[in-house]
Amino acid sequence: MTETAVYAAGGVVWRIVDGKLRVLLIHRTKYRDVTLPKGKVDPGEMLAETAAREIHEETGIRVALGVPVGVSRYRLPSKRTKIVHYWAAEATDAAIRASAFVPNKEIAALEWVSTKKALARLSYPVDVEILEYFAGLVEQGVLGTFPLIVLRHGKALGREEWDGEDAERPLASRGKKQSQAIVGPLLAFGARKLISSPAVRCVATLEPLSAILGRKIHTTKRISQDAWEDGASDARTVVGERVRARKPAVLCSHGPVLPELLTEIALATGTLRGSYLGSASALDPAAFSVVHLSANNPGSGIVAIETHLPKV
């Protein structure tokens, strides 16, 4: 990120009504325009967290983010560049029923329309470009997705600072802060199932998220560093279970194990392997890669991969 740019995030919110796709437009009061829900990043936020928060604040609808659908850039009157990251986001029936939206001084109205009508009504070319990319995904039949999130544990105490077993090595002070910082963005992607190496530093990285969700952390030696060093790791079994389940999941493991996890996701979904897997698995402490897979046909390949770095 550059200091001169203004960063924001939002989404193309969609739902199926009577078998037909509808997308959500917002009519803004002050600007008298029609646009997509979005807003500026708050201090300390990661972009995905911003997108989910802003969609909820502007529409009253809580969403889990799907695939990324593009980045728009334009000049503000202040001459600064505004950079907006967008994700597709399904609005479930339950989320819509729970919405308490009423017209206000910022948002005059919400409107669900076909993609074709939305393209004609949007006020800005940059929004049209985002929606056109989204429409392309729809045509490819990969709109409904679920994420497998591969997470490296937070910063741990150095080996030279620890006398006990390596698996017992705890998070450093920075690692504890990182474990808190990633809760929001992991929630933004709808994280539900929590799977971890038994190592203390991995489990501790997921504990703040576990507490918020009220969900247990499931540990497995199959993705532990000890098993990897012994040649006994088994990422294939862990990944296979998650792909078949077709539910959002977080897999928290160690640097050396991450390439195996990403490779097995590619193999399990019939995706060609390439250098992108190396980039997605070369993660700093508490960074994570979100692998988006088709909910209807996971075997059709990886739809998208995105990597996020903690702001700590």
Side-chain angles (χ1 to χ4, degrees):
M1 292 189 179
T2 64
E3 291 182 7
T4 56
V6 175
Y7 287 87
V12 178
V13 182
W14 63 274
R15 64 189 291 208
I16 302 296
V17 182
D18 297 329
K20 296 179 180 180
L21 177 68
R22 296 290 182 263
V23 296
L24 184 62
L25 302 181
I26 63 171
H27 295 248
R28 294 195 297 181
T29 308
K30 178 180 177 181
Y31 299 101
R32 296 182 179 276
D33 60 8
V34 180
T35 185
L36 301 170
K38 66 179 182 299
K40 289 189 288 187
V41 174
D42 279 348
E45 272 188 334
M46 293 169 68
L47 286 163
E49 191 175 3
T50 301
R53 176 183 57 76
E54 284 288 344
I55 290 169
H56 178 246
E57 288 181 0
E58 294 195 340
T59 71
I61 301 169
R62 292 192 183 278
V63 298
L65 303 181
V67 295
V69 291
V71 181
S72 68
R73 293 175 172 83
Y74 52 93
R75 298 282 279 184
L76 297 169
S78 64
K79 305 301 183 185
R80 298 175 74 186
T81 299
K82 188 167 186 177
I83 302 174
V84 190
H85 291 249
Y86 288 93
W87 283 265
E90 181 181 7
T92 64
D93 290 342
I96 291 169
R97 286 195 299 271
S99 172
F101 172 82
V102 292
N104 55 71
K105 63 182 181 179
E106 290 189 10
I107 311 299
L110 304 179
E111 184 180 20
W112 291 98
V113 297
S114 67
T115 305
K116 183 177 180 180
K117 286 185 179 179
L119 288 168
R121 293 188 189 183
L122 284 167
S123 299
Y124 306 108
V126 288
D127 287 349
V128 170
E129 289 178 9
I130 297 297
L131 192 56
E132 285 176 340
Y133 184 88
F134 171 87
L137 291 177
V138 176
E139 290 178 8
Q140 295 170 38
V142 292
L143 182 57
T145 60
F146 69 95
L148 294 185
I149 303 168
V150 176
L151 167 68
R152 185 178 178 185
H153 63 76
K155 179 69 175 176
L157 283 183
R159 291 176 187 255
E160 70 282 356
E161 303 174 79
W162 182 249
D163 293 330
E165 294 290 327
D166 184 66
E168 300 298 317
R169 193 153 47 96
L171 291 179
S173 176
R174 184 182 175 201
K176 293 175 182 176
K177 292 176 182 176
Q178 290 172 332
S179 71
Q180 296 285 347
I182 60 176
V183 169
L186 291 176
L187 288 174
F189 287 108
R192 302 293 288 170
K193 187 83 170 182
L194 308 181
I195 300 167
S196 175
S197 157
V200 168
R201 57 192 181 275
C202 288
V203 174
T205 299
L206 284 179
E207 281 176 344
L209 177 61
S210 171
I212 291 289
L213 288 173
R215 285 178 169 258
K216 178 183 176 182
I217 300 169
H218 301 270
T219 60
T220 173
K221 294 179 180 178
R222 290 188 170 107
I223 57 173
S224 71
Q225 184 154 331
D226 287 344
W228 180 84
E229 291 176 353
D230 293 339
S233 58
D234 183 12
R236 178 164 297 180
T237 295
V238 176
V239 167
E241 289 174 351
R242 298 327 323 151
V243 172
R244 289 191 296 274
R246 306 187 190 196
K247 300 289 184 182
V250 181
L251 307 175
C252 185
S253 189
H254 310 263
V257 186
L258 302 182
E260 283 190 11
L261 286 168
L262 269 298
T263 296
E264 292 302 335
I265 293 173
L267 290 172
T269 57
T271 309
L272 290 174
R273 285 180 284 177
S275 60
Y276 70 95
L277 291 176
S279 300
S281 62
L283 300 177
D284 292 333
F288 59 90
S289 288
V290 184
V291 186
H292 298 275
L293 305 176
S294 168
N296 295 326
N297 184 15
S300 63
I302 293 171
V303 178
I305 293 184
E306 53 183 306
T307 298
H308 297 264
L309 307 177
K311 283 194 167 185
V312 179

